[in-house]
Amino acid sequence: MRGKPLVGITGRRVQLGLIAGTDDRYATACVDAFVAAFATRVAKAGGVPVHLPYDADPLDACEWLSGVVITGGQDVHPARWGGDTSVVRDVDPRLDPHAHDPERDEYEFTLARAAIDRGLPVLGVCRGMQLLNVALGGTLIADLPPGPVPHLSPLAAPTDGDVEHRVSFEPGSTAARVFGDSVVTNSWHHQAVDRCGTGLVVTGRTPDGVAEAVEVPGAPILGVQWHPEWMERDDPAMAWIVDESRKRQEIEYAH
Protein backbone atom coordinates (compact mmCIF):
# COMPACT_ATOMS: atom_id res chain seq x y z
CA MET A 1 0.00 0.00 0.00
CA ARG A 2 1.23 3.47 -0.83
CA GLY A 3 1.38 5.87 2.09
CA LYS A 4 1.56 9.64 2.07
CA PRO A 5 4.60 11.20 0.35
CA LEU A 6 7.69 11.87 2.47
CA VAL A 7 8.78 15.51 2.21
CA GLY A 8 12.25 16.35 3.53
CA ILE A 9 12.70 19.68 5.35
CA THR A 10 16.08 21.26 6.10
CA GLY A 11 17.07 23.07 9.28
CA ARG A 12 20.13 24.23 11.18
CA ARG A 13 22.35 23.19 14.07
CA VAL A 14 22.83 25.40 17.13
CA GLN A 15 24.06 25.10 20.69
CA LEU A 16 21.48 24.71 23.44
CA GLY A 17 23.01 27.67 25.24
CA LEU A 18 21.20 29.94 22.76
CA ILE A 19 17.91 28.91 24.33
CA ALA A 20 17.06 30.99 27.40
CA GLY A 21 16.76 28.94 30.55
CA THR A 22 18.92 26.04 29.36
CA ASP A 23 20.81 24.32 32.16
CA ASP A 24 24.49 25.36 31.95
CA ARG A 25 25.52 21.72 31.96
CA TYR A 26 23.99 21.33 28.49
CA ALA A 27 24.87 24.75 27.07
CA THR A 28 27.53 23.44 24.68
CA ALA A 29 25.47 20.49 23.47
CA CYS A 30 24.04 20.92 19.96
CA VAL A 31 20.44 20.64 18.88
CA ASP A 32 19.02 20.44 15.36
CA ALA A 33 16.43 23.18 14.92
CA PHE A 34 13.58 23.19 12.41
CA VAL A 35 10.79 25.71 11.91
CA ALA A 36 7.76 23.77 13.09
CA ALA A 37 5.37 25.59 10.76
CA PHE A 38 6.86 23.78 7.75
CA ALA A 39 6.07 20.38 9.24
CA THR A 40 2.62 21.54 10.31
CA ARG A 41 1.73 22.78 6.84
CA VAL A 42 3.21 19.83 4.99
CA ALA A 43 1.19 17.49 7.19
CA LYS A 44 -1.95 19.59 6.71
CA ALA A 45 -1.48 19.37 2.93
CA GLY A 46 -1.33 15.58 3.10
CA GLY A 47 2.39 14.84 3.29
CA VAL A 48 4.65 13.32 5.93
CA PRO A 49 7.26 15.89 7.04
CA VAL A 50 10.77 14.50 7.52
CA HIS A 51 13.35 16.69 9.28
CA LEU A 52 16.81 16.40 7.74
CA PRO A 53 19.83 16.88 10.03
CA TYR A 54 23.26 17.30 8.44
CA ASP A 55 23.92 13.64 9.25
CA ALA A 56 21.17 12.46 6.89
CA ASP A 57 23.25 11.76 3.80
CA PRO A 58 21.57 13.67 0.94
CA LEU A 59 22.06 10.91 -1.62
CA ASP A 60 20.65 8.27 0.70
CA ALA A 61 17.80 10.55 1.84
CA CYS A 62 16.74 11.20 -1.75
CA GLU A 63 16.36 7.45 -2.27
CA TRP A 64 13.42 7.58 0.15
CA LEU A 65 12.03 11.10 -0.13
CA SER A 66 9.39 12.19 -2.63
CA GLY A 67 10.09 15.91 -2.28
CA VAL A 68 12.39 18.44 -0.60
CA VAL A 69 11.93 21.83 1.05
CA ILE A 70 15.04 23.98 1.50
CA THR A 71 14.16 26.48 4.20
CA GLY A 72 15.15 30.03 5.13
CA GLY A 73 17.89 31.35 7.36
CA GLN A 74 21.25 33.05 7.20
CA ASP A 75 22.97 34.25 4.01
CA VAL A 76 24.63 31.78 1.68
CA HIS A 77 28.41 32.16 2.04
CA PRO A 78 29.57 34.67 -0.63
CA ALA A 79 32.46 32.39 -1.63
CA ARG A 80 29.80 30.12 -3.13
CA TRP A 81 28.73 32.68 -5.72
CA GLY A 82 31.69 35.05 -6.15
CA GLY A 83 30.54 37.65 -3.63
CA ASP A 84 32.60 39.81 -1.28
CA THR A 85 34.09 37.47 1.34
CA SER A 86 35.47 40.37 3.40
CA VAL A 87 32.01 40.73 4.99
CA VAL A 88 32.20 37.23 6.49
CA ARG A 89 32.74 37.22 10.26
CA ASP A 90 34.73 34.44 11.91
CA VAL A 91 31.86 33.35 14.13
CA ASP A 92 30.65 29.86 15.03
CA PRO A 93 27.21 29.53 13.34
CA ARG A 94 26.13 27.26 16.21
CA LEU A 95 26.43 30.29 18.51
CA ASP A 96 25.12 33.03 16.21
CA PRO A 97 21.98 32.43 14.11
CA HIS A 98 23.06 35.17 11.68
CA ALA A 99 26.56 33.82 11.00
CA HIS A 100 27.37 32.15 7.70
CA ASP A 101 27.24 28.39 8.05
CA PRO A 102 29.48 26.54 5.55
CA GLU A 103 28.32 23.18 6.91
CA ARG A 104 24.69 24.03 6.21
CA ASP A 105 25.60 25.43 2.79
CA GLU A 106 27.41 22.23 1.86
CA TYR A 107 24.58 20.03 3.07
CA GLU A 108 21.85 21.94 1.26
CA PHE A 109 23.89 22.31 -1.95
CA THR A 110 24.45 18.56 -2.05
CA LEU A 111 20.80 17.90 -1.20
CA ALA A 112 19.54 20.29 -3.89
CA ARG A 113 21.75 18.70 -6.54
CA ALA A 114 20.79 15.16 -5.46
CA ALA A 115 17.08 15.99 -5.52
CA ILE A 116 17.28 17.67 -8.92
CA ASP A 117 19.31 14.81 -10.39
CA ARG A 118 16.67 12.32 -9.20
CA GLY A 119 13.81 14.43 -10.51
CA LEU A 120 12.39 15.11 -7.06
CA PRO A 121 10.21 18.20 -6.53
CA VAL A 122 12.10 20.99 -4.77
CA LEU A 123 10.69 24.05 -3.00
CA GLY A 124 13.22 26.73 -2.00
CA VAL A 125 12.06 29.28 0.58
CA CYS A 126 13.80 32.66 1.05
CA ARG A 127 17.43 31.60 1.66
CA GLY A 128 16.38 28.30 0.08
CA MET A 129 15.43 30.07 -3.15
CA GLN A 130 18.78 31.88 -3.18
CA LEU A 131 20.68 28.68 -2.42
CA LEU A 132 18.83 26.88 -5.21
CA ASN A 133 19.91 29.61 -7.62
CA VAL A 134 23.54 29.48 -6.51
CA ALA A 135 23.56 25.66 -6.60
CA LEU A 136 22.62 25.96 -10.29
CA GLY A 137 25.44 28.45 -10.94
CA GLY A 138 23.64 31.74 -10.35
CA THR A 139 24.63 34.82 -8.36
CA LEU A 140 23.01 37.04 -5.74
CA ILE A 141 22.53 40.71 -4.96
CA ALA A 142 24.48 41.06 -1.70
CA ASP A 143 22.38 43.92 -0.30
CA LEU A 144 19.22 45.36 -1.75
CA PRO A 145 19.32 49.16 -1.86
CA PRO A 146 16.55 51.13 -0.12
CA GLY A 147 13.55 51.57 -2.36
CA PRO A 148 9.78 51.85 -2.57
CA VAL A 149 9.23 48.21 -1.56
CA PRO A 150 10.19 47.37 2.05
CA HIS A 151 11.80 43.97 1.53
CA LEU A 152 13.21 43.83 5.05
CA SER A 153 9.83 44.44 6.68
CA PRO A 154 8.14 42.93 9.76
CA LEU A 155 7.12 39.30 9.48
CA ALA A 156 3.50 40.01 10.32
CA ALA A 157 1.32 38.34 7.72
CA PRO A 158 -0.16 40.92 5.33
CA THR A 159 -3.83 41.35 4.63
CA ASP A 160 -5.28 41.42 1.15
CA GLY A 161 -5.57 45.19 1.43
CA ASP A 162 -1.84 45.69 2.10
CA VAL A 163 -0.24 46.23 -1.31
CA GLU A 164 3.24 47.20 -0.05
CA HIS A 165 4.65 43.84 -1.11
CA ARG A 166 2.69 42.45 -4.01
CA VAL A 167 4.29 39.86 -6.25
CA SER A 168 3.16 39.53 -9.88
CA PHE A 169 3.74 36.34 -11.88
CA GLU A 170 4.54 35.59 -15.51
CA PRO A 171 1.50 34.27 -17.40
CA GLY A 172 1.74 30.55 -18.14
CA SER A 173 4.36 29.91 -15.47
CA THR A 174 4.17 27.34 -12.69
CA ALA A 175 4.08 30.23 -10.22
CA ALA A 176 1.06 31.76 -11.97
CA ARG A 177 -0.69 28.39 -11.96
CA VAL A 178 -0.03 28.00 -8.23
CA PHE A 179 -0.60 31.57 -7.00
CA GLY A 180 -2.65 33.31 -9.69
CA ASP A 181 -1.78 36.57 -11.42
CA SER A 182 -0.41 38.15 -8.23
CA VAL A 183 -0.34 37.75 -4.47
CA VAL A 184 0.48 39.83 -1.39
CA THR A 185 3.23 38.26 0.69
CA ASN A 186 5.33 38.84 3.76
CA SER A 187 8.95 39.89 3.31
CA TRP A 188 12.12 39.34 5.31
CA HIS A 189 15.26 39.44 3.17
CA HIS A 190 18.10 41.79 2.28
CA GLN A 191 19.56 39.68 -0.53
CA ALA A 192 17.99 38.53 -3.77
CA VAL A 193 18.58 36.54 -6.93
CA ASP A 194 20.74 38.39 -9.46
CA ARG A 195 21.87 36.27 -12.42
CA CYS A 196 19.85 33.06 -12.69
CA GLY A 197 21.53 29.66 -12.58
CA THR A 198 21.32 27.14 -15.41
CA GLY A 199 17.73 26.42 -16.39
CA LEU A 200 16.25 28.71 -13.77
CA VAL A 201 14.04 31.65 -14.76
CA VAL A 202 12.42 34.45 -12.78
CA THR A 203 8.62 34.19 -12.94
CA GLY A 204 7.60 36.49 -10.08
CA ARG A 205 8.66 40.02 -9.18
CA THR A 206 7.72 42.88 -6.89
CA PRO A 207 6.95 46.29 -8.44
CA ASP A 208 10.61 47.34 -8.04
CA GLY A 209 11.75 44.38 -10.13
CA VAL A 210 13.20 42.19 -7.36
CA ALA A 211 12.91 38.47 -8.10
CA GLU A 212 10.37 36.82 -5.77
CA ALA A 213 9.71 33.54 -7.60
CA VAL A 214 11.94 31.34 -9.74
CA GLU A 215 11.38 28.01 -11.42
CA VAL A 216 12.76 25.56 -13.97
CA PRO A 217 10.27 25.29 -16.84
CA GLY A 218 9.08 21.74 -17.29
CA ALA A 219 10.47 20.56 -13.94
CA PRO A 220 8.98 20.53 -10.43
CA ILE A 221 11.43 23.12 -9.10
CA LEU A 222 10.08 26.30 -7.52
CA GLY A 223 11.62 29.00 -5.34
CA VAL A 224 9.76 31.75 -3.46
CA GLN A 225 11.41 34.66 -1.69
CA TRP A 226 8.72 35.07 0.96
CA HIS A 227 7.89 32.73 3.86
CA PRO A 228 4.84 30.58 3.01
CA GLU A 229 5.11 28.85 6.39
CA TRP A 230 4.47 32.18 8.14
CA MET A 231 1.58 33.42 6.06
CA GLU A 232 -1.63 33.85 8.02
CA ARG A 233 -3.61 32.06 5.32
CA ASP A 234 -2.63 28.72 3.81
CA ASP A 235 0.00 29.46 1.18
CA PRO A 236 -0.39 27.39 -2.03
CA ALA A 237 3.37 26.77 -2.12
CA MET A 238 3.02 24.20 0.66
CA ALA A 239 0.19 22.39 -1.12
CA TRP A 240 2.26 22.51 -4.33
CA ILE A 241 5.27 20.68 -2.86
CA VAL A 242 3.03 17.98 -1.37
CA ASP A 243 1.03 17.55 -4.59
CA GLU A 244 4.19 17.32 -6.68
CA SER A 245 5.71 14.90 -4.17
CA ARG A 246 2.63 12.71 -4.44
CA LYS A 247 2.99 12.67 -8.23
CA ARG A 248 6.63 11.68 -7.86
CA GLN A 249 5.66 8.94 -5.43
CA GLU A 250 3.14 7.56 -7.92
CA ILE A 251 5.81 7.49 -10.63
CA GLU A 252 8.16 5.57 -8.33
CA TYR A 253 5.38 3.19 -7.35
CA ALA A 254 4.49 2.51 -10.97
CA HIS A 255 8.05 1.33 -11.57
Side-chain angles (χ1 to χ4, degrees):
M1 292 289 290
R2 283 174 293 172
K4 297 178 179 179
L6 303 180
V7 180
I9 302 169
T10 65
R12 58 171 64 188
R13 184 162 288 176
V14 298
Q15 287 193 4
L16 277 171
L18 288 179
I19 302 175
T22 298
D23 189 308
D24 288 342
R25 292 174 295 177
Y26 310 117
T28 59
C30 287
V31 61
D32 289 321
F34 301 88
V35 176
F38 278 110
T40 299
R41 300 213 179 194
V42 164
K44 184 177 180 181
V48 176
V50 178
H51 287 149
L52 299 174
Y54 303 155
D55 312 277
D57 182 87
L59 297 178
D60 291 336
C62 287
E63 291 290 330
W64 293 94
L65 297 172
S66 296
V68 168
V69 179
I70 302 174
T71 62
Q74 65 270 69
D75 297 345
V76 177
H77 198 291
R80 291 276 181 176
W81 52 273
D84 181 6
T85 58
S86 68
V87 302
V88 178
R89 297 177 295 127
D90 186 17
V91 178
D92 188 339
R94 296 171 299 177
L95 297 173
D96 183 346
H98 301 292
H100 293 88
D101 189 345
E103 187 177 13
R104 182 181 182 187
D105 287 348
E106 180 62 25
Y107 183 81
E108 292 182 338
F109 269 69
T110 306
L111 178 68
R113 291 302 326 181
I116 291 170
D117 289 345
R118 281 190 57 82
L120 298 184
V122 178
L123 173 64
V125 171
C126 199
R127 161 197 158 89
M129 168 173 147
Q130 296 166 10
L131 182 135
L132 181 61
N133 182 55
V134 176
L136 291 172
T139 61
L140 303 178
I141 298 171
D143 256 310
L144 289 169
V149 177
H151 290 279
L152 195 59
S153 60
L155 279 176
T159 66
D160 289 337
D162 181 0
V163 297
E164 289 188 337
H165 198 278
R166 180 171 292 277
V167 180
S168 298
F169 304 104
E170 290 292 329
S173 65
T174 294
R177 175 172 58 82
V178 173
F179 304 108
D181 294 337
S182 68
V183 68
V184 177
T185 73
N186 55 35
S187 183
W188 191 253
H189 64 109
H190 76 102
Q191 296 192 329
V193 166
D194 187 9
R195 178 176 55 79
C196 281
T198 303
L200 207 64
V201 296
V202 177
T203 54
R205 296 184 186 273
T206 45
D208 58 353
V210 171
E212 291 272 338
V214 296
E215 61 190 71
V216 174
I221 299 170
L222 178 66
V224 296
Q225 190 56 63
W226 66 92
H227 287 268
E229 78 280 15
W230 284 333
M231 293 292 285
E232 186 175 70
R233 59 188 180 273
D234 286 339
D235 190 290
M238 304 310 299
W240 176 85
I241 188 61
V242 173
D243 288 344
E244 291 296 326
S245 298
R246 186 179 294 109
K247 293 176 186 176
R248 176 64 188 181
Q249 181 190 43
E250 291 172 351
I251 291 173
E252 290 287 333
Y253 182 79
H255 289 84

